[in-house]
Amino acid sequence: MTQLSILVGSQNPIKINAAKQVFSNYFPNKTIHCEGLHAPSLVPEQPLGEEQTRLGAQNRVEYLMQHHNADYYCAMEGGAHQFSYGPATFAYVVIANSQHTSVNRSSNLPLPQVIFDALIAGEELGPVMDKTFNTTNIKQKGGAIGLLTNNLATRESTYTQALTLAMAPFIHAELFNNQ
């Protein structure tokens, strides 16, 4: 059985577990070595807007690619935005190898306006949710998603879905090579 090395631009176990699950699903006959490493996002601790959030994930992957060797590199960056229909949180994911880079975005989780206002004031979503729900370090557990959906969805499940979809250009490279 051959091994695949996956580097994740975070040391958060939720993000590492999501990446490991996705690669294990796509490559069941390979041993998956998945490791989380510090990789700077070069965006604010709490990204606001889609562009800033996407850039944070891309910067993490680019850093990993410049400083480490692996078969695949991936990063997940959570952000928030005030859309025309209301505030929401979401994540961008980036997966890359030596041939391709794939960028994908998760679905939106509506946020209460009071929570989004705290983000605009400079706070980070995890600590705001901890304060609101009297939890500790929720960002390394179910996240805001878990709290606001009564754990029917979690931060990890959202990352897993977004990463699963982002793998399409790698799994069907022959269809994406001409783009």
Side-chain angles (χ1 to χ4, degrees), residues 17 38 55 63 67 81 88 90 103 123 150 156 168:
N17 290 340
H38 169 74
L55 189 58
Y63 177 88
H67 295 90
H81 185 66
F90 52 87
V103 177
E123 295 186 60
N150 292 341
E156 186 172 337

Side-chain angles (χ1 to χ4, degrees), residues 19-115:
K20 185 169 186 173
Q21 180 182 339
V22 168
F23 282 93
S24 295
N25 289 344
Y26 274 112
F27 301 102
N29 297 325
K30 295 192 184 269
T31 301
I32 305 299
H33 176 74
C34 190
E35 182 180 1
L37 299 173
H38 169 74
S41 69
L42 305 178
V43 299
E45 198 65 30
Q46 178 57 69
L48 295 175
E50 291 187 276
E51 185 69 16
Q52 206 174 71
T53 307
R54 180 189 52 75
L55 189 58
Q58 287 181 306
N59 288 342
R60 290 179 193 275
V61 164
E62 288 171 13
Y63 177 88
L64 291 173
M65 292 179 82
Q66 290 169 3
H67 295 90
H68 302 281
N69 289 318
D71 295 309
Y72 288 90
Y73 308 86
C74 63
M76 295 139 261
E77 190 76 30
H81 185 66
Q82 178 76 51
F83 293 95
S84 60
Y85 49 83
T89 185
F90 52 87
Y92 267 90
V93 301
V94 176
I95 302 173
N97 66 11
S98 59
Q99 290 87 36
H100 300 287
T101 297
S102 178
V103 177
N104 194 30
R105 188 187 172 290
S106 75
S107 54
N108 280 353
L109 170 70
L111 284 177
Q113 189 66 52
V114 66
I115 290 175

Side-chain angles (χ1 to χ4, degrees), residues 12 19 39 46 51-52 56 59 62 64 72 91 94 108 116 119 138-139 145-146 150 154 156 167-168 171 177-179:
N12 184 324
Q46 178 57 69
E51 185 69 16
Q52 206 174 71
N59 288 342
E62 288 171 13
L64 291 173
Y72 288 90
V94 176
N108 280 353
F116 185 77
L119 304 183
I138 197 64
K139 73 182 199 173
I145 295 165
N150 292 341
T154 64
E156 186 172 337
M167 285 296 292
I171 303 307
N177 280 338
N178 296 329
Q179 294 182 347

